[in-house]
Amino acid sequence: SSLPEGWQHGAFAEIYVRGYADGNGDGIGDLRGLIGKLDYLKALGVSGIWLMPVTRSGDHDHGYAVEDYRDIEPAFGTLADFDELLKQAHARGIGVIVDYVINHSSMKHPLFRATAEDRNSPYRDWYLWQDSAPQGWKIFDKDPWNKGATGYYFSQFSSGMPDWNLKNPQVMAWHLA
C-alpha cells in the first residue's frame, strides 16, 4: 500500500530494535516485537519509524559492523519478518527508514576479507589500502591506519570496521543496488 502524502514530515520514532520490544520471549527486541507495537506508535501520532541498523553485523548489538547488507541480524528475525514489518507499518500509514551503514563494514565482510587476503583482489580498491602506513593521521585521537596481512587499511572508528572507498563508483553502485 502507498503511504499518505507528507508522512515524512510528521513525528518519527527512532527505534533500537534490540532494546524495544521482544516478540518471541528470548529477552532480545526483534522485528516481530516491533510489529506488535505499531498500533501503539500510530496512537502516539508517529508517521515514521527510523530503525537503527538491523542488518547482520559482526557486533551483534548496535549493528554498525555490517557483515551482510542484504540480511537481517538473526536475533532480530528474518527478511520475511522485515517484509511483514513494512507491510504492517504501511497499512497503518507509517513509513519506515533504516539506518544504512555506508561508510564502513565489518572486517568480517566477505569483500573486505577478499581484499585483506589478496592484494590482487578485484575488490582491493573497494576499501582504502596503502602499502605503508601514511604518517601524521589522527582521528578520534588514534591513528586510523591498521596493519593487515597485505598492507595498511583505513578505519576511522575501529580496526574492526574498515572504511569503504566511496570514491570508487563500483562501491557506490553496489550499495545502491
Side-chain angles (χ1 to χ4, degrees), residues 89-151:
H90 289 180
R92 291 164 175 79
I94 298 173
V96 179
I97 61 172
V98 294
D99 191 337
Y100 184 90
V101 184
I102 194 169
N103 61 305
H104 61 263
S105 72
S106 165
M107 69 185 313
K108 295 178 183 177
H109 190 282
L111 292 176
F112 181 75
R113 287 199 330 245
T115 70
E117 295 166 4
D118 180 4
R119 67 177 54 241
N120 296 315
S121 166
Y123 301 105
R124 183 71 170 195
D125 190 44
W126 285 40
Y127 289 89
L128 302 166
W129 284 94
Q130 296 289 323
D131 289 334
S132 59
Q135 299 301 303
W137 286 71
K138 286 280 189 205
I139 298 178
F140 304 123
D141 217 22
K142 72 170 191 71
D143 185 345
W145 292 95
N146 303 278
K147 184 166 179 45
T150 61

Side-chain angles (χ1 to χ4, degrees), residues 30-44:
D30 50 47
L31 296 174
R32 289 281 167 191
L34 175 54
I35 291 167
K37 295 291 186 180
L38 289 173
D39 288 334
Y40 168 73
L41 292 167
K42 180 70 175 173
L44 289 176

